[in-house]
Amino acid sequence: MTLTLYVLLGSEQERPAGSAAIAPSIAKWRVTHGIAAAVILLYVAFHLTNHLLGLLGPDVHAAVMKMGRTVYRSSLVEPILVALMLFQVAVGVRLAWRWSSQPADAYRVFQIGSGIYLAAFIVTHLNSAFVSARAVHHIDTNWAWASGVPTGLIHDAWSIRLVPHYALGVFFVLAHLASGLRGVLIAHGMATTVANRIWATGLAAGGPVAIAIMCGLCGARI
């Protein structure tokens, strides 16, 4: 968890020029943001892995999801997880607002931008799953729901919008982490050029993961 917090928070030493004045006032929010993210990542890692398993077929995905739901769908864990998601969005928007008013290089701009997209993605995804599917239409948010069965995501004029939406959500989760890792590495003495290559590698890895998940949701199998 300590490493995860470092990745998500970055280091107080790695700040854009001119940000020193606001750093103390947002330092606690950065720590809180990281603690919440460390917990949420346990679910996100499982969720993305489960979606990758969709390439092996809906039955494999369903079996793994059934095991996971015994934990994250429990009456104790689910409300905490949802509350943490919403809290993370609120704190992330606050941090983005403060950082966006300070001088920033392209890497920090990307980190802020990816975080803003994730905030919007989380809110819309929670609304789709909890309000629209489960509360209003009483639909199980399983593989069939996510993949648009029976028509499919790419064959339905309305559902096809979800292809870039989901793909960017997956990509920006991984890219946001890579951005945080870059800041940590630089703050701990790694050469900027090397840290930039690691950041680029993280983004390059995020792309195929997002594509693989979407291929599975669109019907591809291995």
Side-chain angles (χ1 to χ4, degrees):
M1 180 176 288
T2 301
L3 178 59
T4 304
L5 293 179
Y6 278 143
V7 170
L8 293 166
L9 301 177
S11 169
E12 293 300 323
Q13 302 172 37
E14 200 250 337
R15 304 170 182 156
S19 67
I22 70 165
S25 65
I26 65 173
K28 290 188 293 185
W29 288 113
R30 294 177 71 178
V31 172
T32 305
H33 192 64
I35 293 173
V39 177
I40 292 171
L41 274 176
L42 297 175
Y43 167 75
V44 171
F46 173 83
H47 193 58
L48 295 184
T49 301
N50 193 198
H51 272 303
L52 282 171
L53 291 174
L55 286 167
L56 300 177
D59 292 341
V60 175
H61 176 275
V64 175
M65 184 176 65
K66 183 177 180 180
M67 292 188 293
R69 281 183 172 183
T70 61
V71 177
Y72 67 77
R73 279 285 188 92
S74 70
S75 58
L76 174 63
V77 174
E78 187 173 58
I80 294 175
L81 183 59
V82 173
L84 282 173
M85 290 281 193
L86 295 175
F87 177 78
Q88 192 75 333
V89 168
V91 175
V93 169
R94 176 184 174 86
L95 291 172
W97 181 267
R98 296 296 296 273
W99 275 328
S100 64
S101 65
Q102 301 299 310
D105 59 17
Y107 296 99
R108 175 53 62 86
V109 170
F110 181 88
Q111 187 174 14
I112 294 171
S114 61
I116 291 173
Y117 184 89
L118 288 176
F121 181 87
I122 290 170
V123 171
T124 57
H125 200 55
L126 288 176
N127 176 67
S128 296
F130 284 90
V131 180
S132 178
R134 291 170 61 177
V136 176
H137 297 103
H138 306 289
I139 298 172
D140 185 15
T141 53
N142 55 17
W143 180 264
W145 173 77
S147 60
V149 171
T151 307
L153 294 180
I154 60 177
H155 298 294
D156 183 85
W158 177 247
S159 296
I160 196 171
R161 79 195 193 285
L162 296 175
V163 174
H165 177 65
Y166 286 159
L168 288 173
V170 174
F171 173 73
F172 280 132
V173 164
L174 301 175
H176 199 60
L177 287 172
S179 294
L181 177 60
R182 173 187 173 273
V184 171
L185 295 176
I186 292 174
H188 286 79
M190 178 173 285
T192 301
T193 54
V194 177
N196 289 348
R197 291 193 190 101
I198 294 174
W199 173 83
T201 300
L203 267 61
V209 171
I211 292 171
I213 286 176
M214 292 317 304
C215 285
L217 285 170
C218 292
R221 299 290 179 265
I222 57 176

